[in-house]
Structures are given as C-alpha cells and as structure tokens.
Coordinates of all heavy atoms in Angstrom, one line a residue:
M1 N -56.6 46.6 14.9 CA -57.5 46.1 13.9 C -58.6 45.3 14.5 O -58.5 44.7 15.5 CB -56.7 45.1 13.0 CG -55.7 45.8 12.1 SD -56.7 46.7 10.8 CE -55.4 47.4 9.9
L2 N -59.7 45.2 13.8 CA -61.0 44.6 14.3 C -61.4 43.4 13.4 O -61.2 43.5 12.2 CB -62.1 45.6 14.3 CG -61.9 46.9 15.0 CD1 -63.1 47.9 14.8 CD2 -61.6 46.7 16.5
D3 N -61.9 42.4 14.0 CA -62.3 41.3 13.2 C -63.7 41.7 12.7 O -64.2 42.7 13.0 CB -62.3 40.0 14.0 CG -63.3 39.9 15.2 OD1 -64.4 40.6 15.1 OD2 -63.1 39.2 16.1
D4 N -64.4 40.8 11.9 CA -65.6 41.2 11.2 C -66.7 41.5 12.2 O -67.5 42.4 12.1 CB -66.0 40.1 10.2 CG -65.1 40.2 9.0 OD1 -64.3 41.1 8.8 OD2 -65.2 39.2 8.2
N5 N -66.8 40.7 13.3 CA -67.9 40.9 14.3 C -67.7 42.2 15.0 O -68.6 43.0 15.3 CB -67.9 39.7 15.3 CG -68.4 38.5 14.7 OD1 -69.2 38.5 13.8 ND2 -68.0 37.3 15.2
E6 N -66.4 42.5 15.4 CA -66.1 43.7 16.1 C -66.3 44.9 15.2 O -66.9 46.0 15.6 CB -64.6 43.7 16.6 CG -64.3 42.7 17.6 CD -62.8 42.4 17.8 OE1 -62.0 42.8 16.9 OE2 -62.5 41.9 18.8
F7 N -66.0 44.7 13.9 CA -66.2 45.8 12.9 C -67.7 46.1 12.7 O -68.1 47.3 12.6 CB -65.5 45.5 11.6 CG -65.5 46.7 10.7 CD1 -64.5 47.7 10.9 CD2 -66.3 46.7 9.6 CE1 -64.5 48.8 10.0 CE2 -66.3 47.8 8.8 CZ -65.4 48.8 9.0
T8 N -68.5 45.1 12.7 CA -70.0 45.3 12.5 C -70.5 46.2 13.7 O -71.2 47.1 13.4 CB -70.7 43.9 12.5 OG1 -70.3 43.2 11.4 CG2 -72.2 44.1 12.5
K9 N -70.1 45.9 14.9 CA -70.5 46.7 16.0 C -70.0 48.1 15.9 O -70.7 49.1 16.1 CB -70.0 46.1 17.4 CG -70.3 46.9 18.6 CD -71.7 46.9 19.0 CE -72.0 47.6 20.3 NZ -73.4 47.9 20.5
A10 N -68.7 48.3 15.5 CA -68.1 49.6 15.3 C -68.9 50.4 14.2 O -69.1 51.6 14.4 CB -66.6 49.5 14.9
K11 N -69.3 49.7 13.2 CA -70.0 50.4 12.1 C -71.4 50.9 12.6 O -71.8 52.0 12.2 CB -70.2 49.5 10.9 CG -69.5 49.9 9.7 CD -69.4 48.9 8.6 CE -70.8 48.5 8.0 NZ -70.6 47.6 6.8
E12 N -72.0 50.1 13.4 CA -73.3 50.5 14.0 C -73.1 51.8 14.9 O -73.9 52.7 14.8 CB -73.9 49.4 14.9 CG -74.4 48.2 14.1 CD -74.8 47.0 15.1 OE1 -74.9 47.2 16.3 OE2 -74.9 45.9 14.5
L13 N -72.1 51.8 15.7 CA -71.8 53.0 16.5 C -71.5 54.2 15.7 O -71.8 55.3 16.0 CB -70.7 52.7 17.5 CG -71.0 51.6 18.6 CD1 -69.8 51.2 19.4 CD2 -72.1 52.1 19.5
Y14 N -70.8 54.0 14.6 CA -70.4 55.0 13.7 C -71.7 55.6 13.1 O -71.9 56.9 13.0 CB -69.5 54.5 12.6 CG -68.8 55.5 11.7 CD1 -68.0 56.5 12.3 CD2 -69.0 55.5 10.3 CE1 -67.4 57.5 11.4 CE2 -68.4 56.4 9.5 CZ -67.6 57.4 10.1 OH -67.0 58.3 9.3
S15 N -72.6 54.8 12.6 CA -73.9 55.2 12.0 C -74.7 56.0 13.1 O -75.2 57.0 12.8 CB -74.7 54.0 11.6 OG -74.2 53.6 10.4
L16 N -74.7 55.5 14.3 CA -75.5 56.2 15.4 C -74.9 57.6 15.6 O -75.6 58.5 15.9 CB -75.4 55.4 16.6 CG -76.4 54.1 16.7 CD1 -76.1 53.3 17.9 CD2 -77.8 54.5 16.5
G17 N -73.5 57.7 15.5 CA -72.9 59.0 15.7 C -73.4 60.0 14.7 O -73.6 61.2 15.1
F18 N -73.7 59.6 13.5 CA -74.2 60.6 12.5 C -75.6 61.0 12.8 O -76.0 62.1 12.4 CB -74.1 60.0 11.1 CG -72.7 60.1 10.5 CD1 -71.9 58.9 10.4 CD2 -72.2 61.3 10.1 CE1 -70.6 59.0 9.9 CE2 -70.9 61.4 9.6 CZ -70.1 60.2 9.5
K19 N -76.3 60.2 13.5 CA -77.7 60.5 13.9 C -77.8 61.4 15.1 O -78.8 61.8 15.5 CB -78.5 59.3 14.0 CG -78.7 58.5 12.8 CD -79.4 57.1 13.0 CE -79.4 56.4 11.7 NZ -79.5 54.9 11.9
N20 N -76.7 61.6 15.8 CA -76.6 62.3 17.0 C -76.0 63.7 16.8 O -74.9 63.8 16.2 CB -75.7 61.5 18.0 CG -75.7 62.1 19.4 OD1 -76.1 63.2 19.6 ND2 -75.4 61.2 20.4
A21 N -76.7 64.8 17.3 CA -76.2 66.1 17.0 C -75.2 66.6 18.0 O -74.5 67.6 17.8 CB -77.4 67.1 17.0
K22 N -75.0 65.9 19.1 CA -74.0 66.4 20.1 C -72.6 66.3 19.6 O -72.2 65.5 18.8 CB -74.2 65.5 21.4 CG -75.5 65.7 22.1 CD -75.4 65.1 23.5 CE -75.5 63.6 23.4 NZ -75.6 62.9 24.7
A23 N -71.7 67.2 20.2 CA -70.4 67.3 19.8 C -69.6 66.0 20.1 O -68.7 65.7 19.3 CB -69.7 68.5 20.5
D24 N -70.0 65.3 21.1 CA -69.3 64.0 21.4 C -70.0 62.8 20.9 O -69.9 61.7 21.5 CB -69.1 63.9 23.0 CG -70.4 63.8 23.7 OD1 -71.4 64.1 23.1 OD2 -70.3 63.5 24.9
R25 N -70.6 63.0 19.7 CA -71.5 61.9 19.2 C -70.7 60.6 18.8 O -71.4 59.6 18.8 CB -72.2 62.4 17.9 CG -71.3 62.9 16.8 CD -72.0 63.6 15.8 NE -71.1 63.9 14.6 CZ -71.6 64.3 13.5 NH1 -72.8 64.4 13.3 NH2 -70.7 64.6 12.5
F26 N -69.4 60.6 18.6 CA -68.7 59.4 18.3 C -68.1 58.8 19.5 O -67.3 57.9 19.4 CB -67.7 59.7 17.2 CG -68.3 60.0 15.9 CD1 -68.2 61.2 15.3 CD2 -69.1 59.0 15.2 CE1 -68.8 61.5 14.1 CE2 -69.7 59.3 14.0 CZ -69.5 60.5 13.4
Q27 N -68.3 59.4 20.7 CA -67.7 58.9 21.9 C -68.0 57.4 22.2 O -67.0 56.7 22.6 CB -68.1 59.7 23.1 CG -67.1 59.8 24.3 CD -65.8 60.1 23.8 OE1 -65.5 61.1 23.0 NE2 -64.8 59.3 24.2
P28 N -69.2 56.9 22.0 CA -69.4 55.5 22.2 C -68.5 54.6 21.3 O -68.0 53.6 21.7 CB -70.9 55.3 21.8 CG -71.6 56.6 22.1 CD -70.5 57.6 21.7
L29 N -68.4 55.0 20.0 CA -67.5 54.3 19.1 C -66.0 54.3 19.6 O -65.3 53.3 19.6 CB -67.6 54.8 17.7 CG -66.6 54.3 16.7 CD1 -66.7 52.8 16.5 CD2 -66.8 55.0 15.3
L30 N -65.6 55.5 19.9 CA -64.2 55.7 20.3 C -63.9 54.9 21.6 O -62.8 54.3 21.7 CB -63.8 57.2 20.5 CG -63.9 58.1 19.3 CD1 -63.8 59.5 19.6 CD2 -62.9 57.6 18.2
K31 N -64.9 54.9 22.5 CA -64.7 54.1 23.7 C -64.7 52.6 23.4 O -63.9 51.8 23.9 CB -65.8 54.4 24.7 CG -65.7 53.6 26.0 CD -66.9 53.8 27.0 CE -66.7 53.1 28.3 NZ -66.2 51.7 28.2
Y32 N -65.6 52.2 22.5 CA -65.6 50.7 22.1 C -64.3 50.3 21.6 O -63.7 49.3 21.9 CB -66.8 50.6 21.1 CG -66.9 49.2 20.5 CD1 -67.3 48.1 21.3 CD2 -66.6 48.9 19.2 CE1 -67.4 46.8 20.8 CE2 -66.6 47.7 18.6 CZ -67.1 46.6 19.4 OH -67.1 45.4 18.9
Y33 N -63.7 51.1 20.7 CA -62.4 50.8 20.1 C -61.3 50.8 21.1 O -60.5 49.9 21.1 CB -62.1 51.8 19.0 CG -60.9 51.4 18.1 CD1 -61.1 50.5 17.1 CD2 -59.7 52.0 18.3 CE1 -60.0 50.1 16.3 CE2 -58.6 51.6 17.5 CZ -58.8 50.7 16.5 OH -57.7 50.3 15.7
K34 N -61.3 51.7 22.0 CA -60.3 51.8 23.1 C -60.4 50.6 23.9 O -59.4 49.9 24.3 CB -60.5 53.1 23.9 CG -59.7 53.1 25.2 CD -58.3 53.7 25.0 CE -57.6 54.1 26.2 NZ -57.7 53.4 27.4
D35 N -61.6 50.1 24.3 CA -61.9 48.9 25.1 C -61.3 47.7 24.4 O -60.8 46.8 25.1 CB -63.3 48.8 25.5 CG -63.8 49.9 26.5 OD1 -63.0 50.6 27.1 OD2 -65.0 50.0 26.6
L36 N -61.6 47.6 23.1 CA -61.2 46.4 22.4 C -59.6 46.4 22.1 O -59.0 45.3 22.3 CB -61.8 46.4 21.0 CG -63.2 45.9 20.9 CD1 -63.7 46.1 19.4 CD2 -63.3 44.4 21.3
T37 N -59.1 47.5 21.8 CA -57.7 47.5 21.3 C -56.7 48.1 22.2 O -55.5 47.9 22.1 CB -57.6 48.3 20.0 OG1 -57.8 49.7 20.2 CG2 -58.5 47.7 18.9
G38 N -57.2 48.9 23.2 CA -56.3 49.6 24.1 C -55.7 50.9 23.5 O -55.0 51.6 24.1
F39 N -56.1 51.2 22.2 CA -55.5 52.3 21.5 C -56.6 53.4 21.6 O -57.8 53.2 21.3 CB -55.2 52.0 20.1 CG -54.6 53.2 19.3 CD1 -53.3 53.5 19.5 CD2 -55.4 54.0 18.5 CE1 -52.8 54.6 18.8 CE2 -54.9 55.1 17.8 CZ -53.5 55.4 18.0
K40 N -56.2 54.6 22.0 CA -57.1 55.8 22.2 C -57.2 56.5 20.8 O -56.5 57.6 20.7 CB -56.6 56.7 23.3 CG -57.6 57.7 23.7 CD -57.1 58.5 25.0 CE -58.1 59.4 25.6 NZ -58.8 60.3 24.7
E41 N -58.0 56.0 19.9 CA -58.2 56.6 18.6 C -59.0 57.9 18.8 O -59.9 57.9 19.7 CB -58.9 55.7 17.7 CG -59.2 56.2 16.3 CD -58.0 56.6 15.5 OE1 -57.2 55.8 15.2 OE2 -57.8 57.8 15.3
T42 N -58.7 59.0 18.1 CA -59.5 60.2 18.3 C -60.3 60.5 17.0 O -61.2 61.3 17.1 CB -58.6 61.4 18.6 OG1 -57.7 61.5 17.5 CG2 -57.9 61.2 19.9
E43 N -60.1 59.8 15.9 CA -60.8 60.0 14.7 C -61.7 58.9 14.4 O -61.3 57.8 14.1 CB -59.8 60.2 13.5 CG -59.1 61.5 13.5 CD -60.1 62.7 13.2 OE1 -61.1 62.5 12.5 OE2 -59.8 63.7 13.8
A44 N -63.0 59.1 14.5 CA -64.0 58.0 14.3 C -63.9 57.4 12.9 O -64.0 56.2 12.7 CB -65.4 58.5 14.6
A45 N -63.7 58.3 11.9 CA -63.6 57.8 10.5 C -62.4 56.8 10.3 O -62.5 55.9 9.5 CB -63.5 59.0 9.6
A46 N -61.4 57.1 11.0 CA -60.2 56.2 10.9 C -60.5 54.8 11.3 O -60.0 53.8 10.6 CB -59.0 56.7 11.7
I47 N -61.4 54.6 12.2 CA -61.7 53.2 12.7 C -62.4 52.5 11.6 O -62.3 51.2 11.5 CB -62.6 53.3 14.0 CG1 -61.8 53.9 15.1 CG2 -63.2 52.0 14.3 CD1 -62.6 54.3 16.3
M48 N -63.1 53.2 10.7 CA -63.8 52.5 9.6 C -62.8 51.9 8.6 O -63.2 51.1 7.7 CB -64.7 53.5 8.8 CG -65.9 53.9 9.7 SD -67.0 52.6 10.3 CE -66.4 52.3 11.9
H49 N -61.5 52.1 8.8 CA -60.5 51.5 7.9 C -59.7 50.4 8.7 O -58.7 49.9 8.2 CB -59.4 52.5 7.4 CG -60.1 53.6 6.6 ND1 -60.4 53.3 5.3 CD2 -60.5 54.8 6.9 CE1 -60.9 54.4 4.8 NE2 -61.0 55.4 5.7
H50 N -60.2 50.0 9.9 CA -59.5 49.1 10.8 C -60.2 47.7 10.8 O -60.1 47.1 11.8 CB -59.4 49.7 12.2 CG -58.4 50.9 12.2 ND1 -58.2 51.6 13.4 CD2 -57.7 51.5 11.2 CE1 -57.3 52.6 13.1 NE2 -57.1 52.6 11.8
Q51 N -60.8 47.3 9.7 CA -61.4 46.0 9.7 C -60.3 45.1 9.0 O -59.9 45.3 7.9 CB -62.7 46.0 8.8 CG -63.3 44.6 8.7 CD -64.5 44.6 7.8 OE1 -64.6 45.5 7.0 NE2 -65.4 43.7 7.9
I52 N -59.8 44.1 9.8 CA -58.6 43.4 9.3 C -58.9 42.6 8.0 O -58.0 42.5 7.2 CB -58.1 42.4 10.4 CG1 -56.7 42.0 10.1 CG2 -59.0 41.3 10.7 CD1 -55.9 41.6 11.3
S53 N -60.1 42.2 7.8 CA -60.4 41.5 6.6 C -60.4 42.3 5.3 O -60.3 41.8 4.2 CB -61.8 40.7 6.6 OG -62.8 41.6 6.8
Q54 N -60.4 43.7 5.5 CA -60.2 44.6 4.3 C -58.8 44.5 3.7 O -58.6 44.8 2.6 CB -60.4 46.0 4.7 CG -61.8 46.4 5.0 CD -61.9 47.9 5.5 OE1 -61.0 48.7 5.4 NE2 -63.1 48.2 6.0
Y55 N -57.9 43.9 4.5 CA -56.5 43.9 4.1 C -56.0 42.5 3.6 O -54.8 42.3 3.4 CB -55.6 44.4 5.3 CG -55.9 45.8 5.6 CD1 -56.9 46.2 6.5 CD2 -55.3 46.9 4.9 CE1 -57.3 47.5 6.7 CE2 -55.6 48.2 5.1 CZ -56.6 48.5 6.1 OH -57.0 49.8 6.3
G56 N -57.0 41.6 3.5 CA -56.6 40.3 2.9 C -56.0 39.4 3.9 O -55.9 39.7 5.1
P57 N -55.6 38.2 3.4 CA -55.1 37.2 4.4 C -53.7 37.6 4.8 O -53.1 38.5 4.3 CB -55.0 35.9 3.5 CG -55.0 36.4 2.1 CD -55.7 37.7 2.1
V58 N -53.2 36.9 5.9 CA -51.9 37.1 6.4 C -50.8 36.3 5.6 O -51.0 35.1 5.3 CB -51.9 36.8 7.9 CG1 -50.5 36.8 8.5 CG2 -52.8 37.7 8.6
C59 N -49.7 37.0 5.3 CA -48.6 36.3 4.6 C -48.0 35.1 5.4 O -47.8 35.2 6.6 CB -47.5 37.3 4.3 SG -46.0 36.6 3.6
N60 N -47.8 34.0 4.8 CA -47.3 32.8 5.4 C -45.8 33.0 5.8 O -45.3 32.3 6.6 CB -47.4 31.6 4.5 CG -48.9 31.1 4.4 OD1 -49.6 31.3 5.3 ND2 -49.2 30.6 3.3
I61 N -45.1 33.9 5.1 CA -43.7 34.1 5.3 C -43.4 35.1 6.4 O -42.7 34.9 7.4 CB -43.0 34.5 4.0 CG1 -43.2 33.5 2.9 CG2 -41.5 34.7 4.2 CD1 -42.7 32.1 3.2
C62 N -44.0 36.3 6.2 CA -43.6 37.4 7.1 C -44.8 37.8 8.1 O -44.5 38.5 9.1 CB -43.2 38.7 6.3 SG -44.6 39.5 5.5
G63 N -46.0 37.2 7.9 CA -47.0 37.4 8.9 C -47.8 38.8 8.7 O -48.7 39.0 9.5
K64 N -47.4 39.6 7.7 CA -48.1 40.8 7.5 C -49.3 40.6 6.6 O -49.3 39.7 5.7 CB -47.2 41.9 6.9 CG -46.0 42.1 7.9 CD -45.4 43.5 7.6 CE -44.5 43.8 8.8 NZ -43.4 44.6 8.5
P65 N -50.4 41.4 6.7 CA -51.5 41.3 5.8 C -51.1 41.6 4.3 O -50.2 42.5 4.1 CB -52.5 42.3 6.3 CG -52.0 42.9 7.4 CD -50.6 42.5 7.6
Y66 N -51.7 41.0 3.4 CA -51.4 41.2 2.0 C -51.9 42.5 1.4 O -51.6 42.9 0.3 CB -52.0 40.1 1.1 CG -51.1 38.8 1.1 CD1 -51.5 37.7 1.8 CD2 -49.9 38.8 0.5 CE1 -50.8 36.6 1.8 CE2 -49.1 37.7 0.5 CZ -49.5 36.5 1.1 OH -48.8 35.4 1.2
R67 N -52.7 43.3 2.2 CA -53.1 44.6 2.0 C -54.5 44.7 1.3 O -55.3 45.6 1.5 CB -52.1 45.5 1.2 CG -50.9 45.7 1.9 CD -50.1 46.8 1.3 NE -48.8 47.0 2.1 CZ -47.9 47.9 1.7 NH1 -48.1 48.6 0.6 NH2 -46.8 48.0 2.4
T68 N -54.8 43.7 0.4 CA -56.2 43.6 -0.2 C -56.5 42.2 -0.3 O -55.6 41.3 -0.4 CB -56.3 44.3 -1.5 OG1 -55.8 43.4 -2.6 CG2 -55.6 45.6 -1.7
P69 N -57.8 41.9 -0.2 CA -58.2 40.5 -0.4 C -57.8 39.9 -1.8 O -57.8 38.7 -2.0 CB -59.7 40.5 -0.3 CG -60.0 41.7 0.5 CD -59.0 42.7 0.1
A70 N -57.6 40.8 -2.8 CA -57.3 40.3 -4.2 C -55.8 40.3 -4.5 O -55.4 40.0 -5.6 CB -58.0 41.3 -5.2
A71 N -55.0 40.6 -3.5 CA -53.5 40.7 -3.7 C -53.0 39.4 -4.2 O -53.5 38.3 -3.8 CB -52.8 41.1 -2.4
I72 N -52.0 39.4 -5.1 CA -51.3 38.2 -5.6 C -49.9 38.0 -5.0 O -49.3 37.0 -5.2 CB -51.3 38.1 -7.1 CG1 -50.6 39.3 -7.7 CG2 -52.8 38.0 -7.7 CD1 -50.3 39.2 -9.2
F73 N -49.4 39.0 -4.3 CA -48.1 38.9 -3.7 C -48.1 39.8 -2.4 O -48.9 40.7 -2.3 CB -47.0 39.3 -4.6 CG -46.9 40.7 -5.0 CD1 -46.1 41.5 -4.3 CD2 -47.7 41.2 -6.0 CE1 -46.0 42.9 -4.6 CE2 -47.6 42.6 -6.3 CZ -46.8 43.4 -5.6
C74 N -47.2 39.5 -1.5 CA -47.0 40.3 -0.3 C -46.2 41.5 -0.6 O -45.1 41.4 -1.0 CB -46.4 39.4 0.8 SG -46.0 40.3 2.3
A75 N -46.8 42.7 -0.3 CA -46.1 43.9 -0.5 C -44.9 44.1 0.4 O -43.9 44.8 0.2 CB -47.0 45.1 -0.4
A76 N -44.9 43.4 1.6 CA -43.8 43.5 2.6 C -42.6 42.7 2.2 O -41.5 43.2 2.3 CB -44.4 43.1 4.0
C77 N -42.8 41.4 1.8 CA -41.7 40.5 1.6 C -41.6 40.0 0.1 O -40.6 39.4 -0.2 CB -41.6 39.4 2.6 SG -42.8 38.1 2.3
G78 N -42.6 40.2 -0.6 CA -42.6 39.8 -2.1 C -43.1 38.3 -2.3 O -43.1 37.9 -3.4
D79 N -43.4 37.6 -1.2 CA -43.9 36.3 -1.3 C -45.2 36.2 -2.3 O -46.1 37.1 -2.1 CB -44.3 35.7 0.0 CG -44.7 34.2 -0.1 OD1 -44.0 33.4 -0.7 OD2 -45.8 33.9 0.4
R80 N -45.2 35.3 -3.2 CA -46.4 35.2 -4.1 C -47.4 34.2 -3.5 O -47.0 33.2 -3.0 CB -45.9 34.7 -5.5 CG -45.1 35.7 -6.2 CD -45.2 35.5 -7.7 NE -44.9 36.8 -8.4 CZ -45.9 37.7 -8.7 NH1 -47.1 37.4 -8.6 NH2 -45.6 38.8 -9.3
I81 N -48.7 34.5 -3.7 CA -49.8 33.6 -3.3 C -50.0 32.6 -4.4 O -50.1 33.0 -5.5 CB -51.0 34.4 -3.0 CG1 -50.8 35.4 -1.9 CG2 -52.2 33.5 -2.7 CD1 -52.0 36.4 -1.7
D82 N -50.0 31.3 -4.1 CA -50.2 30.3 -5.1 C -51.6 30.1 -5.4 O -52.5 30.2 -4.5 CB -49.6 29.0 -4.6 CG -48.1 29.1 -4.5 OD1 -47.5 29.9 -5.3 OD2 -47.5 28.5 -3.5
Ligands
ZN1 ZN1 -44.8 38.7 3.4

C-alpha cells in the first residue's frame, strides 16, 4: 500500500505510461512500486488501487483498514466507528 505522496508519484508514472508507445511503458511505475514496497507487481493498473487512504482509517481493535473512508464499522472484526 502507498501513502498519498507515494500514490501521487505512482499516478504520474501511470499517466506517463499511457503516453509511451513502447511495450515496457509501465516499467518506471512497476520499478517505483517494487522499490517502495519490495513487491514485484506486474499489473500497472493494480497499483492504482493501492492507495491506503482509499480504504479508510485503520480499525482501533484489529488494525485492519475499514475498507472505505465512509465505513461505519470494521468489516474484519465488526467494531463500530463512533
Ligand atoms: Zn476491526
């Protein structure tokens, strides 16, 4: 998962990939993600779903993200947000 600053850079690299006709056009984005996370992602589009703030705050009970910023309860443990 990427924080908002990391995600902004990833989005820039993703946009540049669309402007590049070469077969390895998303290589700069895939390398950036691998350097940040250690995970060798092969699908550039998947990285566009890896912005941690898209998944809402972290649950105080189980530590998992609430899944959306508008969630009213934790899908993992059922804890309700007050
Ligand atoms: Zn929870």
Side-chain angles (χ1 to χ4, degrees):
M1 286 293 183
L2 305 178
D3 68 27
D4 288 347
N5 290 331
E6 294 164 343
F7 190 77
T8 296
K9 175 71 176 168
K11 244 169 63 174
E12 286 171 16
L13 293 171
Y14 189 60
S15 283
L16 286 174
F18 279 107
K19 294 174 184 157
N20 187 340
K22 289 193 288 184
D24 63 348
R25 61 192 184 164
F26 291 115
Q27 208 50 47
L29 170 60
L30 297 173
K31 182 185 182 317
Y32 176 69
Y33 191 76
K34 169 91 167 31
D35 290 347
L36 278 176
T37 67
F39 183 78
K40 194 174 187 307
E41 180 59 66
T42 57
E43 286 294 328
I47 294 171
M48 294 298 100
H49 298 283
H50 291 181
Q51 180 183 21
I52 200 159
S53 63
Q54 289 176 10
Y55 296 90
V58 172
C59 175
N60 289 328
I61 305 299
C62 74
K64 298 202 169 151
Y66 280 108
R67 297 194 182 176
T68 79
I72 58 169
F73 70 95
C74 175
C77 76
D79 183 51
R80 291 205 155 266
I81 300 173
D82 296 323

